[in-house]
Amino acid sequence: TCPDCNGRRYKASTLDFHYCGKSIADVLDLTVDEAITFYSEPAESAAFTKRHQAIVRILAPLSEVGLGYIRLGQPLNTLSGGESQRLKLCQLLSGNEGMSGNLLILDEPTTGLHFSDIERLLGVFQKLVDAGHSLLVIEHNLDVIKSADWILDLGPEAGANGGKLVGDGSPEDIAKLDTVTAEFLRRALNG
């Protein structure tokens, strides 16, 4: 820890400047959800309110994809692969792309997610599909698999004994097959 800035990465003169009671280091230490709350509070003037609304509009997709716990100043190289993939989805959710028809390829985006965050992510997937995007999701999570429009089941086993198309179709179609995926999918669809 730097003895001059005490790990806050700014000169004292920069840290002396406060906005709504917080220095830049304080703001960058907020989680996304904390920042949304902070910038949702009433501001002194209409100009600040518009700026705050713009900040909340930018941060909201991060919370929507389950990244509300990351800190605003968190270095990108500390994010996991799943976090990085979900971060990329935010650009499309923010409406800044101005286009539809993108093909999004996601590799195990639910890894490490809590069940409630997986449900949120499924909502985001549907929102993206509704906006005209296509998603190809490589996934083992049964909640994601049973929510798919179309499944490509690869097997018959893993590794060198796999990689062949053993079935394709809707979740209900796949559940009728005699594959490992079908066995687990039947239980997920019936439970």
Side-chain angles (χ1 to χ4, degrees), residues 86-106:
R86 287 181 280 137
L87 183 62
K88 289 176 185 175
L89 293 178
C90 292
Q91 186 176 13
L92 294 171
L93 287 173
S94 67
N96 291 335
E97 283 292 299
M99 64 178 141
S100 64
N102 290 305
L103 172 62
L104 309 169
I105 301 172
L106 303 167

Side-chain angles (χ1 to χ4, degrees), residues 65-189:
V65 298
L67 294 175
Y69 60 88
I70 65 171
R71 304 225 169 258
L72 296 183
Q74 184 171 336
L76 289 175
N77 65 356
T78 64
L79 298 177
S80 71
E83 289 169 332
S84 295
Q85 288 183 82
R86 287 181 280 137
L87 183 62
K88 289 176 185 175
L89 293 178
C90 292
Q91 186 176 13
L92 294 171
L93 287 173
S94 67
N96 291 335
E97 283 292 299
M99 64 178 141
S100 64
N102 290 305
L103 172 62
L104 309 169
I105 301 172
L106 303 167
D107 185 12
E108 302 274 356
T110 64
T111 301
L113 285 183
H114 187 273
F115 295 116
S116 63
D117 288 326
I118 292 171
E119 226 170 275
R120 290 171 73 182
L121 188 60
L122 286 171
V124 167
F125 287 173
Q126 189 58 55
K127 197 172 181 181
L128 291 167
V129 168
D130 292 345
H133 304 289
S134 297
L135 280 76
L136 187 137
V137 182
I138 299 134
E139 188 59 76
H140 288 91
N141 181 288
L142 288 169
D143 289 326
V144 175
I145 294 171
K146 74 180 186 181
S147 300
D149 293 332
W150 199 259
I151 298 171
L152 299 175
D153 189 5
L154 302 177
E157 295 178 25
N161 298 320
K164 295 177 180 70
L165 184 65
V166 294
D168 72 296
S170 69
E172 293 75 18
D173 293 337
I174 297 297
K176 294 175 188 171
L177 300 176
D178 185 25
T179 66
V180 175
T181 302
E183 178 184 335
F184 287 96
L185 188 54
R186 276 191 294 277
R187 285 186 235 156
L189 289 171

